[in-house]
């Protein structure tokens, strides 16, 4: 198991925080912990793996040990890729806390069939719930609506509209601009939109290991187009920090949003940062 570079201070900070409404902690890559005013805590795509060097090389610290969590009500997975569904990152949290894993079919299949989490960790198949666009469910004070997104590299990916106490967050996973975004923007007053951002790079092919021009995330124009369609007040770019060869500078987006009504501002965070809403 990958060891945390940071000890347990981030986990303990999350546990001790008492949000006024919603607080979010950025875990790097596309991972977050979200905590409500009543203490309800959910994680979205938490990942502490090291990738598959030299194809995918982690460029940021490992901020927590999954087994250090004592409080977690749910884990949400946007799609089945390893940096979003990963047994060593997520199953120990579920084993320690009894939390429920929510994800689309392909994500649950990775956990139960490909990686057999119940055989490797103290988790039960009853802790897994399959979701698809249109589903809604509550986790404590937090309401979650599952939405269709556009990630051409994933199998039936989803995004999550997260609402609590009048605050709305949308996590789009690794989605590029999607047909659903205008509808979501019209129906949800999104305070914070989380969208993947990165450069295009030469990454070794998974099978041949030969360098291949690779785009996994939104570029500058795509992320602003998506945020504009979603009508987000604040845009929080993610994933730009993670993989060698695909990193990017999110401060450059300041120039791209200037002439658009939405997003109204950028929320720029680094791994371990907290956002209070």
């Amino acid at each position: 198991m990958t060891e945390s570079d940071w000890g347990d201070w981030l986990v303990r900070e999350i546990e001790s925080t008492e949000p006024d409404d919603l607080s979010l902690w950025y875990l790097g890559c596309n991972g977050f912990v979200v905590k409500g005013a009543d203490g309800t805590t959910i994680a979205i795509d938490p990942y502490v793996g090291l990738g598959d060097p030299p194809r995918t090389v982690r460029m940021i610290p490992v901020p927590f040990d999954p087994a250090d969590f004592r409080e977690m009500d749910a884990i949400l997975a946007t799609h089945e890729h390893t940096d979003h569904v990963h047994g060593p990152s997520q199953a120990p949290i579920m084993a320690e806390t009894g939390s429920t894993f929510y994800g689309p079919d392909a994500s649950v299949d990775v956990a139960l069939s490909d990686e057999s989490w119940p055989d490797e960790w103290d988790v039960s198949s009853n802790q897994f719930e399959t979701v698809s666009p249109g589903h809604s469910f509550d986790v404590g004070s937090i309401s979650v609506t599952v939405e269709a997104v556009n990630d051409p590299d994933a199998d039936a990916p989803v995004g999550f509209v997260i609402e609590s106490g009048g605050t709305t967050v949308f996590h789009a996973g690794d989605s590029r601009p999607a047909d659903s975004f205008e509808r979501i923007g019209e129906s949800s007053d999104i305070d914070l939109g989380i969208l993947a951002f990165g450069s295009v790079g030469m990454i070794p092919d998974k099978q041949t290991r030969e360098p291949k021009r690779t785009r996994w995330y939104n570029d500058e124009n795509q992320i602003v187009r998506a945020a504009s369609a979603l009508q987000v007040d604040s845009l929080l770019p993610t994933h730009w920090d993670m993989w060698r060869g695909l990193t990017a500078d999110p401060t450059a987006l300041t120039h791209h949003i200037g002439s658009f009504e939405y997003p109204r501002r950028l929320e720029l965070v680094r791994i371990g940062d907290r956002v209070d809403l």
Side-chain angles (χ1 to χ4, degrees), residues 52 55-56 80-83 153 203-212 214 216:
D52 180 24
R55 180 172 181 261
T56 48
E80 78 283 3
H81 291 167
T82 299
D83 54 341
D153 302 310
I203 302 298
D205 182 81
K206 195 169 187 177
Q207 278 74 43
T208 68
R209 296 288 164 159
E210 292 297 319
K212 178 182 177 183
T214 301
W216 285 336

Side-chain angles (χ1 to χ4, degrees), residues 175-193:
S175 182
R176 310 320 150 65
D179 291 341
S180 60
F181 282 1
E182 287 191 5
R183 176 187 54 78
I184 296 169
E186 290 291 338
S187 61
S188 302
D189 184 9
I190 301 173
D191 298 289
L192 184 71

Side-chain angles (χ1 to χ4, degrees), residues 65-89:
D65 180 338
D68 283 338
F69 276 97
R70 299 291 181 268
E71 300 174 4
M72 187 67 66
D73 297 291
I75 295 174
L76 312 184
T78 59
H79 62 288
E80 78 283 3
H81 291 167
T82 299
D83 54 341
H84 300 260
V85 177
H86 184 241
S89 299

